[in-house]
């Protein structure tokens, strides 16, 4: 089946540091989304990014569909960025998302 | 606030019982997805509805069923519950096709 792999599995950052999270997928992509699951369990959609680059404040994302990966950049991290970051991939004709296992981010003051 | 409403937030029940989880999608969204999040399986797709019709099925057990009503709200029915069904069940909605999916806060199901 389709595989979605995220790295690193765990990341600990000092407040103010920058980080890059990676998502590799084993097949072509028509739909790539990044989510943040906060400590209360809520899943927040950060980006819908099947290709190209988008920025939203301190966060930006890039998907290189031809090379089957996506990156999420977090700059000047804050403690509120803590949580688990998931990428979800959808392919041609299948609108549901296949998720990776996530990257658990802990930002310490 | 994603605009997707799920009820109840928490549900505690016993093995062998049946429960119904409810989801109201964002205004204007026609597609509803159900996902299950557990410690061992991660986030897994269960089933999708679009404008009242089933569109895709994932790893959904035969003991589970769902439907989407004319007002577009959806219900996920879980029966003959087992301990392993304990999980966080999410509903997500989108306009349809390859569009951003917005998740509700989930229903945390605990089987005792």
């Amino acid at each position: 089946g389709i595989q979605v792999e995220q790295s690193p599995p765990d990341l600990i950052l000092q407040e103010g540091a920058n980080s890059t999270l990676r998502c590799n997928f084993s097949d072509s992509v028509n739909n790539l989304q990044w989510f943040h699951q906060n400590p209360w369990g809520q899943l927040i959609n950060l980006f819908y990014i099947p290709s190209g680059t988008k920025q939203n404040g301190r966060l930006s994302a890039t998907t290189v569909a031809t090379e089957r990966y996506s990156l999420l950049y977090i700059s000047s991290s804050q403690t509120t960025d803590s949580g688990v970051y998931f990428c979800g991939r959808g392919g041609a004709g299948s609108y549901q998302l296949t998720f990776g296992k996530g990257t658990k981010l802990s930002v310490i003051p | 606030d994603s605009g997707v409403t799920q009820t109840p937030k928490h549900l505690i029940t016993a093995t062998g019982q049946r429960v119904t989880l409810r989801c109201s999608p964002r205004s204007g969204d026609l597609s509803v997805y159900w996902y299950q999040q557990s410690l061992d399986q991660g986030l897994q797709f269960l089933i999708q509805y679009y404008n009242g019709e089933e569109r895709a099925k994932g790893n959904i057990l035969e003991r589970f069923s769902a439907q989407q009503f004319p007002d577009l709200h959806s219900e996920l029915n879980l029966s003959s519950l087992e301990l392993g069904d304990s999980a966080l069940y999410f509903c997500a909605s989108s306009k349809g096709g390859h569009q951003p999916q917005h998740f509700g806060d989930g229903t945390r199901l605990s089987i005792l």
Side-chain angles (χ1 to χ4, degrees):
Chain A
I2 306 299
Q3 292 189 0
V4 178
E5 294 181 354
Q6 292 188 243
S7 60
D10 295 279
L11 189 57
I12 300 175
L13 293 178
Q14 202 76 39
E15 201 169 21
N18 303 328
S19 61
T20 301
L21 282 57
R22 187 177 180 104
C23 172
N24 292 335
F25 32 91
S26 61
D27 205 343
S28 61
V29 64
N30 293 74
N31 183 350
L32 195 291
Q33 303 186 33
W34 282 96
F35 296 87
H36 174 219
Q37 188 166 36
N38 63 25
W40 296 271
Q42 296 171 316
L43 268 170
I44 312 299
N45 191 307
L46 298 174
F47 292 102
Y48 169 79
I49 186 161
S51 64
T53 297
K54 286 186 178 178
Q55 180 155 8
N56 184 2
R58 298 181 294 104
L59 273 58
S60 64
T62 294
T63 296
V64 183
T66 53
E67 297 189 22
R68 300 184 181 172
Y69 73 89
S70 183
L71 302 174
L72 178 69
Y73 304 94
I74 305 174
S75 65
S76 305
S77 58
Q78 300 176 357
T79 55
T80 51
D81 295 331
S82 296
V84 183
Y85 289 81
F86 290 98
C87 67
R89 172 231 170 249
S94 63
Y95 305 123
Q96 69 268 22
L97 297 176
T98 299
F99 286 92
K101 295 189 176 185
T103 292
K104 184 176 179 181
L105 175 65
S106 302
V107 181
I108 54 177
Chain B
D1 182 8
S2 68
V4 179
T5 303
Q6 286 189 250
T7 57
K9 292 193 184 307
H10 303 277
L11 202 47
I12 302 174
T13 188
T15 55
Q17 295 299 303
R18 173 189 169 95
V19 297
T20 297
L21 282 51
R22 183 187 169 101
C23 169
S24 294
R26 294 196 325 163
S27 177
D29 285 357
L30 298 177
S31 204
V32 167
Y33 303 81
W34 286 97
Y35 294 89
Q36 179 195 58
Q37 186 177 31
S38 62
L39 282 174
D40 52 345
Q41 298 291 328
L43 259 170
Q44 287 206 312
F45 166 71
L46 296 178
I47 196 164
Q48 178 208 358
Y49 283 83
Y50 178 81
N51 203 19
E53 294 192 5
E54 182 185 305
R55 280 298 176 93
K57 257 185 173 179
N59 298 323
I60 187 167
L61 300 172
E62 285 192 11
R63 301 183 284 108
F64 296 1
S65 65
Q67 53 184 326
Q68 186 179 28
F69 295 86
D71 67 352
L72 301 178
H73 91 271
S74 178
E75 292 180 357
L76 178 67
N77 300 297
L78 315 177
S79 62
S80 302
L81 287 167
E82 301 174 1
L83 293 176
D85 297 329
S86 295
L88 189 50
Y89 291 84
F90 285 106
C91 165
S93 75
S94 75
K95 296 198 183 305
H98 290 303
Q99 294 290 329
Q101 292 184 22
H102 298 277
F103 282 67
D105 288 349
T107 292
R108 189 171 295 279
L109 177 63
S110 299
I111 312 299
L112 303 179

